Amino acid sequence: PYAKQAKLNRGPTRIVLLTNLVGAGEVDEDLEEETAEESGKYGKLKKCTIREVKWAPDKEAVRIFLEFEKVESASKAYADMNGRYFGGRTVKARFYDEERYLNGDFERRVPTRVLLVTSLVAPEDVDDDLEAETEAEAEAKFGAVKCCRVRDAPGAA
């Protein structure tokens, strides 16, 4: 995990991630076009992608990815936009790993959170639906669940 985290902090790349431009639930139909237009002054913008991440705190929930043709353009955007005050918010800009961006990984989650639950049910109560039921209940309480596994713990009483 530490190697991945160090890789994420490297820069610059052609991809700039903006957070805290708007909060959760504040994305409107004009945001993508307006952001792309504003970002075009730094150089050729290939794409503007907006994702709202439900599990993230408000200041990180709306993620705006700016894919520039050149690293130099991304660097200009980063320098100008990081710390800019917009609509009562301080915008955070950072460079985003190009490989993760190109693979559609827009949810950069570090650190990974793992919840280990023991003695959930007795071994005789484990059935084919337990994983799906546990995942659904965990999502309702904690937000997005990437993976849920049920394992028998040998020797557990």
Side-chain angles (χ1 to χ4, degrees):
Y2 295 108
K4 284 184 183 177
Q5 188 171 359
K7 184 177 179 182
L8 289 173
N9 292 330
R10 275 194 222 148
T13 68
R14 292 182 314 106
I15 313 303
V16 175
L17 168 59
L18 302 177
T19 53
N20 206 34
L21 186 70
V22 297
E26 296 177 0
V27 176
D28 64 24
E29 58 197 39
D30 300 324
L31 183 62
E32 186 174 323
E33 184 181 336
E34 290 170 352
T35 305
E37 186 178 311
E38 173 72 13
S39 301
K41 71 182 186 184
Y42 306 111
K44 183 156 172 70
L45 182 71
K46 290 177 75 174
K47 189 172 185 182
C48 175
T49 303
I50 299 177
R51 292 288 188 271
E52 189 164 348
V53 181
K54 301 295 181 202
W55 55 261
D58 184 65
K59 66 182 183 175
E60 296 177 12
V62 177
R63 296 166 182 211
I64 302 171
F65 295 86
L66 305 173
E67 179 186 1
F68 288 92
E69 195 163 280
K70 296 182 178 181
V71 172
E72 295 79 12
S73 301
S75 295
K76 289 177 189 174
Y78 169 84
D80 191 47
M81 296 180 127
N82 190 43
R84 178 189 278 189
Y85 193 69
F86 179 81
R89 295 174 169 272
T90 302
V91 178
K92 175 149 174 100
R94 63 185 147 240
F95 293 106
Y96 198 80
D97 183 83
E98 288 188 42
E99 185 177 333
R100 290 184 77 175
Y101 172 80
L102 294 171
N103 287 331
D105 181 1
F106 300 118
E107 292 197 16
R108 182 180 166 182
R109 252 188 125 150
V110 176
T112 299
R113 294 175 182 95
V114 175
L115 176 63
L116 174 63
V117 179
T118 58
S119 303
L120 185 62
V121 296
E124 61 271 13
D125 294 329
V126 174
D127 61 20
D128 292 338
D129 298 324
L130 185 61
E131 278 185 7
E133 292 168 351
T134 303
E135 182 174 342
E137 189 173 334
E139 279 194 337
K141 288 184 180 179
F142 306 113
V145 173
K146 189 170 188 176
C147 179
C148 177
R149 298 283 182 253
V150 173
R151 300 284 182 259
D152 183 26

